[in-house]
Amino acid sequence: MSDIRTGPAGPTATAIRTGRAGRTDGGGPTGTVRAVVTGIGVAAPNGLGTAAYWAATLAGRGGIAPTTRYDTAGYPLRLAGEVPGFDPGEHIPSRLLPQTDHHTRLSLFTADEALRDSGLDPAALPAYGMGVATASTMGGFEFGQRELQNLWSKGGRFVSAYQSFAWFYAVNTGQISIRHGLRGSSATLVTDAAGGLDAVGDARRRIRRGTTAMLTGGVDGALCPLGLAGQLSAGTMTTGGHRADRAYLPFADGAPGQVPGEGGAFLVLEDAESAARRGARIYGEIAGYRATFDPGPDPAGPGATGLVRAVRGALRDAGVRPADIGVVFADAAGVPELDRAESRAVAEVFGSGGVPVTAPKSMTGRLFAGGAALDLATALLALRDGVIPYTANVAGPGPDHPIDLVTGEPRRADLRYALVVARGRGGFNAAVVVRRAGV
């Protein structure tokens, strides 16, 4: 069974699902089945691979720099977070190179790393025992732009047959499932920057319904003129100044806007009993999830009631109190009115300055559907190592932000639970509570 759902925001609000359709609010069976994370894969602007990314993040090394992928002359935005040192020929089979967009190649690399890290052999599972749930915002725009240029400059005979799917939102789910023989229930979620959490929430639901394991998360990015045109139309991108260390300053006084980036993370999510039987190393548990929608002309308005409901719903789902949360990984839009709405929402749930808040995406830029998945991977690493990464390039929160923003250096803490929140253009909100292994 498959269905395509479009919300009020249009194409950006589409959820593409394959397999049994389920609720998108985090509901569903609430039995004793627990979904744990046994593998992490990362491709980020400040590190290719989980170890490189985590080391750079703790050191405060950012990946925002002048764009190299296309000529930025004539464009108001000349900075981006590009994944460094990625040679697709070293990581992707040659037969896949002609049929894949850059972000799909990054997805295949990241999914491979997550599977290797987990030690899980999909071939050892039942035929339909493992599926894929990914998130996407734009699809393979770079591939699509090239083929459209061929169409209009050379003619239809010069357009690749792979254009029929290489641009599509669901292409990463398809390519990953084919590459690894993952025939279980699968999905692609398109809820903009909330998508990375929504994909994980969908994967947890499928594990509760009997799937043994899911490869889930998001890798996104469209660093090309066509992608930039769409990003600039949102009105949230920074267009003034070219200093990488001053371009994306979430929660800072006078934040100038967002910087686009590419990358994200994939997780191997597994039935806890299955993971225990094979002696898997466990990073943590997806303990709570909730998604909400802010209707109306200004979904990111001062109340941000949908975000508050998502956070409180995720806490209830996890069976924890606000005081149990050791750190919040913020959506951190970098746009003053959006940041004010988020910081007030956090203060409404936790109290003014009641919980450490961090936004390590200040080092990478906005990775769209990949950003929340990367934050979730970062939260799991923070729980593992007992350290909160900091918000780089920001001296402290502005006067309109009643939050304890972690800046300057990492902060040591005995973390048991972390909360990750994300907001998508069009009114999407998502929140995930992760529990440290052994708690």
Side-chain angles (χ1 to χ4, degrees), residues 10-353:
T12 305
T14 304
I16 304 167
R17 302 178 182 277
T18 302
R20 290 184 293 178
R23 293 170 56 186
T24 58
D25 63 353
T30 57
T32 58
V33 177
R34 296 167 49 231
V36 298
V37 177
T38 57
I40 298 176
V42 168
N46 61 340
L48 181 63
T50 303
Y53 162 74
W54 186 230
T57 297
L58 291 180
R61 293 195 298 271
I64 297 173
T67 305
T68 64
R69 299 265 290 286
Y70 60 92
D71 184 0
T72 59
Y75 293 98
L77 177 57
R78 303 184 181 184
L79 298 170
E82 300 177 342
V83 174
F86 179 69
D87 180 353
E90 293 182 0
H91 305 287
I92 309 300
S94 59
R95 63 180 175 79
L96 291 179
L97 296 180
Q99 59 180 277
T100 50
D101 179 76
H102 179 71
H103 93 297
T104 299
R105 296 169 182 176
L106 288 173
S107 294
L108 289 167
F109 165 84
T110 308
D112 286 354
E113 184 185 37
L115 273 174
R116 285 196 305 271
D117 186 47
S118 74
L120 179 64
D121 179 10
L125 298 176
Y128 299 96
M130 188 169 188
V132 185
T134 74
S136 178
T137 297
M138 290 165 286
F141 272 26
E142 190 172 358
F143 191 105
Q145 175 181 307
R146 183 182 67 243
E147 299 310 316
L148 288 173
Q149 288 174 324
N150 288 341
L151 173 66
W152 294 114
S153 65
K154 300 178 182 179
R157 293 186 298 111
F158 294 89
V159 176
S160 168
Y162 297 122
Q163 167 67 359
S164 62
F165 61 80
W167 70 272
F168 192 48
Y169 300 104
V171 66
N172 292 343
T173 292
Q175 290 284 12
I176 291 169
S177 63
I178 291 169
R179 177 166 169 74
H180 296 287
L182 308 180
R183 302 170 64 192
S185 184
S186 295
T188 295
L189 283 296
V190 185
T191 54
D192 193 45
L197 299 188
D198 288 334
V200 172
D202 186 271
R204 185 183 72 150
R205 184 181 302 112
R206 294 170 192 272
I207 286 175
R208 287 181 164 188
R209 291 177 174 174
T211 301
T212 302
M214 294 286 294
L215 191 53
T216 185
V219 169
D220 210 348
L223 301 184
C224 61
L226 180 60
L228 182 62
Q231 294 154 16
L232 288 171
S233 72
T236 57
M237 292 293 159
T238 180
T239 57
H242 304 295
R243 282 185 54 183
D245 63 340
R246 304 303 300 164
Y248 182 30
L249 305 172
F251 302 111
D253 193 16
Q258 301 171 351
V259 175
E262 63 183 7
F266 278 107
L267 310 176
V268 172
L269 205 59
E270 193 171 347
D271 181 328
E273 291 185 1
S274 170
R277 280 196 301 270
R278 68 181 187 88
R281 183 250 346 263
I282 295 173
Y283 286 97
E285 178 187 352
I286 305 301
Y289 163 71
R290 189 69 79 233
T292 63
F293 182 71
D294 274 316
D298 187 12
T305 57
L307 182 59
V308 171
R309 287 188 290 111
V311 170
R312 286 178 170 159
L315 294 176
R316 285 195 303 271
D317 188 31
V320 299
R321 302 163 300 145
D324 295 322
I325 300 297
V327 59
V328 173
F329 284 77
D331 177 66
V335 177
E337 60 271 24
L338 299 178
D339 283 349
R340 283 195 295 270
E342 182 178 15
S343 60
R344 283 197 292 267
V346 171
E348 183 173 340
V349 176
F350 296 95
S352 180

